[in-house]
Amino acid sequence: MALKEQLDKFNKQQVKCQSTLSSIASSRERTGSSRQSVPLPAAISQKKPDAAPVKFSNDTERLQIINNIRKAPVGAQIKRVIDLLFEKRLALTPEQINELCHVDMHANKAVFDSLRKNPKAHYDGRRFSYKATHDVKDKNQLLSLVSKYPDGIAVVDLKDAYPNVIEDLKALSASEDIWLLSNSQEDIAYPNNFKCEIKVDDEFKALFRDIDIPSDMLDVEKELLKIGLKPATNTAERRAAAQTHGVSNKPKDKKKKKQEISKRTKLTNAHLPELFQSLNASSSRN
């Protein structure tokens, strides 16, 4: 009897244990399915890209450029500074120049001394600035400068005055305040003022007077065509037309008929009696 009771008790414990294991297994299955249904955040699901490796090539290239500039000849470094001053049109200290174009004048005394003596650079004891050929800053000053040169001023000497000087020269020419003329070598700006005295070289005068001008207009037209100028007349055509119509090409000699003084002539020159001798003679004959 006791043994049977113990077997029943054991069977009940086995059933209970089996039920407990089944519930645990089903619980795990539900947890796993719920985890699979929940989407992972994008920041977690996506793999983070690897950080870009640090490169020193750009900085190395920059340092190489600076090193090449500072090892360049003195003339090349001065040109670099002059170009900077021309572009900026500002007064710059040696430190600012070094920062902008990498020319270290503190470390290179030859560059510093040469730049102080350069005709295109002005040094006030602390700063360097660009020195133009003519000190003009705007269109009004430009017009005033050109007016002082009746024989003309070369445009090449005005190009570095200030950045838009060429545009102002064209504007002054368009308004006829000045004349812009070109020869085979350069452009010249002249003041449009006919009151100014223009000096002409004696050599130029002699060349002008020694020019042999043909007497025949046909030869004159041929010479004009040789230098690329179109004559205003066409002598050959005019002569051909004259021959066709039987008109003589030579101008007729017009003989002026001597006007005789008659009795009806109003005498206004009575104080010149010799003018009226013929009149007196004819009167006496009548």
Side-chain angles (χ1 to χ4, degrees):
M1 188 68 183
L3 179 62
K4 186 179 180 180
E5 291 178 357
Q6 289 180 356
L7 287 173
D8 292 337
K9 188 177 180 180
F10 176 77
N11 290 331
K12 291 178 180 179
Q13 289 178 350
Q14 289 292 327
V15 172
K16 187 177 180 180
C17 289
Q18 187 66 33
S19 176
T20 303
L21 291 174
S22 298
S23 63
I24 293 173
S26 62
S27 177
R28 286 181 177 180
E29 288 177 1
R30 287 194 301 269
T31 304
S33 62
S34 63
R35 286 181 179 177
Q36 290 178 0
S37 62
V38 177
L40 293 174
I44 299 176
S45 61
Q46 295 179 359
K47 184 180 179 182
K48 292 184 179 181
D50 296 334
V54 179
K55 294 183 179 180
F56 298 96
S57 58
N58 293 336
D59 193 53
T60 303
E61 183 179 357
R62 175 177 170 275
L63 293 175
Q64 185 65 38
I65 292 173
I66 294 174
N67 185 55
N68 292 337
I69 291 172
R70 292 177 179 174
K71 285 185 176 181
V74 172
Q77 296 190 54
I78 290 176
K79 183 181 183 305
R80 189 174 180 85
V81 176
I82 293 295
D83 291 344
L84 174 69
L85 297 176
F86 176 80
E87 178 186 356
K88 297 296 184 181
R89 299 298 175 125
L90 298 172
L92 302 174
T93 63
E95 293 79 11
Q96 292 172 325
I97 292 173
N98 183 23
E99 182 180 351
L100 292 171
C101 69
H102 311 303
V103 175
D104 189 0
M105 285 186 284
H106 288 311
N108 195 329
K109 189 174 183 297
V111 175
F112 181 80
D113 292 339
S114 298
L115 192 62
R116 284 195 308 169
K117 300 175 184 178
N118 193 286
K120 288 298 181 183
H122 172 72
Y123 183 62
D124 62 2
R126 185 163 175 256
R127 294 183 178 88
F128 287 95
S129 58
Y130 186 80
K131 185 177 181 181
T133 305
H134 297 282
D135 187 18
V136 291
K137 300 293 190 297
D138 54 39
K139 185 165 67 173
N140 292 331
Q141 294 182 7
L142 180 63
L143 177 59
S144 178
L145 175 68
V146 175
S147 300
K148 296 177 182 178
Y149 289 83
D151 296 335
I153 181 171
V155 174
V156 69
D157 293 335
L158 300 171
K159 284 185 176 180
D160 66 342
Y162 55 92
N164 58 333
V165 65
I166 298 300
E167 288 76 6
D168 285 347
L169 280 172
K170 292 179 180 179
L172 291 172
S173 176
S175 61
E176 296 187 357
D177 292 312
I178 66 171
W179 299 110
L180 279 180
L181 303 179
S182 301
N183 56 28
S184 58
Q185 298 178 350
E186 59 183 354
D187 296 335
I188 307 293
Y190 293 91
N192 186 8
N193 182 7
F194 293 103
K195 295 180 180 180
C196 61
E197 296 181 0
I198 299 177
K199 183 179 179 181
V200 181
D201 295 338
D202 294 335
E203 183 180 358
F204 182 80
K205 294 178 183 178
L207 289 172
F208 179 79
R209 289 165 182 161
D210 291 342
I211 295 176
D212 185 16
I213 300 177
S215 58
D216 192 344
M217 277 301 298
L218 192 61
D219 295 332
V220 174
E221 292 170 0
K222 289 180 180 179
E223 293 297 326
L224 290 173
L225 291 172
K226 284 182 182 179
I227 61 175
L229 297 178
K230 184 179 180 180
T233 59
N234 192 333
T235 304
E237 183 179 345
R238 181 169 54 83
R239 289 180 181 177
Q243 291 178 358
T244 301
H245 295 85
V247 180
S248 177
N249 191 41
K250 295 182 179 179
K252 295 181 179 180
D253 294 333
K254 294 182 180 180
K255 295 182 178 180
K256 293 183 180 179
K257 185 178 180 180
K258 186 176 181 181
Q259 184 178 2
E260 296 182 355
I261 300 175
S262 65
K263 292 181 179 180
R264 297 180 180 179
T265 304
K266 186 178 180 180
L267 302 180
T268 57
N269 293 322
H271 61 288
L272 298 174
E274 63 273 9
L275 295 177
F276 312 108
Q277 291 178 359
S278 61
L279 180 62
N280 295 333
S282 62
S283 298
S284 61
R285 283 196 300 270
N286 294 332

